Amino acid sequence: MDVLVSEKLEVDRFDYTTNLGRASSYREYRSALWPPSDRYTLAQLNLADATPDLGEEFLRGLAALKSAVEAEWQRTKDVGVPARRRFNDPTSTADAMRAVGARLPGEADRRAIELRANAVQHGYTDDILQELAALTEEFTVVAGQVSTFYGKEVKGLPTAFACRGDAEGQAVVTKALEDQDEVAGYLRRLHADLRLGDLPAFGAAQLFFMAGEGNHHPKHIAYFLPEDEGVKYSPFKKTYYFRNSHHAILKHISAPLAAEHIEGDSVFDPADARFDAIPMLGVLSHELGHFVHRPHTDFKELNAADRWASVVLQETAADVFGILILADVWAERFGIAQADVVAYYLAECLRYVDRGLGHFPDSDGMFLQLGYFRQLGALTAEPGSARMSADSQVVLAGLRSLARVLADTLLAGAAAPSIALHTAFGPATPAPLAALIEAMRRTPFSSVEYGQEHIYLPRRPSARPKEMPS
């Protein structure tokens, strides 16, 4: 459906210079729709399909948690955040979490939500984080000042989510991570100085509840805890990846964009079984890409020179190294065609670029990747055409080339060549992708809305109602 915002917002989501100048300055912005625009197209994902059947009190608990977190979101907009990891009124949210936890069947789940409720109320401690890391949960409920998009607000905003483990997806994750020495060896063949750090825990999940900032647009498909809650440098980390959310986004946004703008040797279709594992492996490999480094990699110099370019290039490196790990290492293990990996990757590049420029570092990073391919000829197009031709093997060659460039610039810790790379291929040099951007500019911003009416509506009784006397 199309959503029209009541007031006319004179914001061009592709006006890179203007948007970048306003980045991270939206603390008082209250609309659920971001970046600012006067028109959105929304598809829907009904979270009832993933919600466990744990009774009416469980649903009432979720509804109370949603109300508490969204009231805290409004309060934060009014008065600000009292501390990076604290709520203005933590008791309401903590009590709602405990009420939800009382309805969870597993002892580990109940203990985990009690620990997180304590953290909401009193703050995280190392003991809480260590105990959480040792628990194996079936149902996870999180609330806190969780990170939003970097270009919107650098501090966290009140968010709560709940998800259930996806056993099938977790088995794929386990298989992918069986032999990390193979990945490390591949990276050394790309560049002799590349190393692979330790990947935090990764949980494949089905989202069934979202409230607060995380329920706004666009949607996050994963959270990295506790870092996204403002707890930096904790040794106890885990990524929660929402498989159903990502699939809905791919179906309604990425795939249509790819059909419109890419002519390749594989057609991305998230409904086709051959793509079942690729999105999850793509997110997992992206996480792995963040831990690719050289022995003395340090971003301090680049951060000081241009913080935005630093974040853009770090996201670019995670994309590039990640998709190469998937295509050149994992694909054979899973019987996946490299052309299908590239088709998924290009579709996701288009989705991120379609969100706009100067608002999201990861979107600017995807623009940089497409710009690099266009300038080097790995993607071709007729003059003035927004439809690009892609041979998967040529795109992979372009990715390997860009990986080596990133190793010698970003991962070498040198600010000047890194900024030059960002300038030459990023949104500051729009000409190679001008036709694509003009085509996207004519269409509304697309996002996915979460259907959660089931947490407010009592379920129909299964018993036959009593007959009225005649």
Side-chain angles (χ1 to χ4, degrees), residues 236-413:
F236 311 110
K237 300 175 182 178
K238 183 173 182 178
T239 296
Y240 291 89
Y241 163 63
F242 309 137
R243 196 177 181 190
N244 53 337
S245 299
H246 195 194
H247 185 270
I249 290 168
L250 292 169
K251 174 184 176 182
H252 294 293
I253 306 173
S254 305
L257 284 168
E260 179 72 18
H261 298 296
I262 297 293
E263 183 74 38
D265 46 3
S266 172
V267 175
F268 177 59
D269 179 3
D272 192 316
R274 75 180 197 273
F275 287 100
D276 282 353
I278 292 177
M280 183 167 49
L281 290 171
V283 175
L284 177 64
S285 65
H286 174 91
E287 290 295 289
L288 214 63
H290 273 296
F291 293 88
V292 175
H293 63 281
R294 294 176 64 172
H296 303 293
T297 294
D298 189 327
F299 303 124
K300 290 180 181 178
E301 181 183 331
L302 180 56
N303 285 341
D306 189 331
R307 176 61 176 159
W308 186 267
S310 179
V311 179
V312 169
L313 289 172
Q314 288 178 57
E315 290 299 327
T316 299
D319 292 335
V320 170
F321 289 114
I323 207 67
L324 284 173
I325 289 168
L326 173 49
D328 285 345
V329 181
W330 292 346
E332 183 176 1
R333 186 184 306 174
F334 284 91
I336 294 170
Q338 287 185 319
D340 291 344
V341 174
V342 172
Y344 157 79
Y345 163 71
L346 292 176
E348 285 289 74
C349 283
L350 292 171
R351 172 170 73 88
Y352 277 85
V353 171
D354 188 60
R355 296 195 310 190
L357 303 173
H359 286 300
F360 308 89
D362 44 4
S363 295
D364 288 3
M366 290 294 203
F367 182 100
L368 187 152
Q369 292 161 65
L370 293 180
Y372 187 87
F373 301 147
R374 284 288 288 121
Q375 292 192 52
L376 269 66
L379 290 174
T380 60
E382 295 296 324
S385 174
R387 188 167 179 81
M388 298 177 289
S389 296
D391 180 294
S392 58
Q393 291 304 310
V394 178
V395 172
L396 284 170
L399 281 161
R400 296 180 196 113
S401 167
L402 182 52
R404 295 182 177 100
V405 171
L406 288 162
D408 285 330
T409 54
L410 174 71
L411 300 187

Side-chain angles (χ1 to χ4, degrees), residues 33 52 73 104 128 146 161 281 317 349 410 456 469:
L33 303 168
W73 187 92
L104 296 176
I128 288 176
V146 181
F161 70 83
L281 290 171
C349 283
L410 174 71
Y456 301 109

Side-chain angles (χ1 to χ4, degrees), residues 51-62 103 454-455 459:
T51 303
D53 187 2
L54 299 178
E56 298 295 339
E57 291 303 316
F58 176 72
L59 297 179
R60 290 192 184 97
L62 290 178
R103 303 297 167 178
H454 61 289
I455 69 173
R459 297 183 181 182

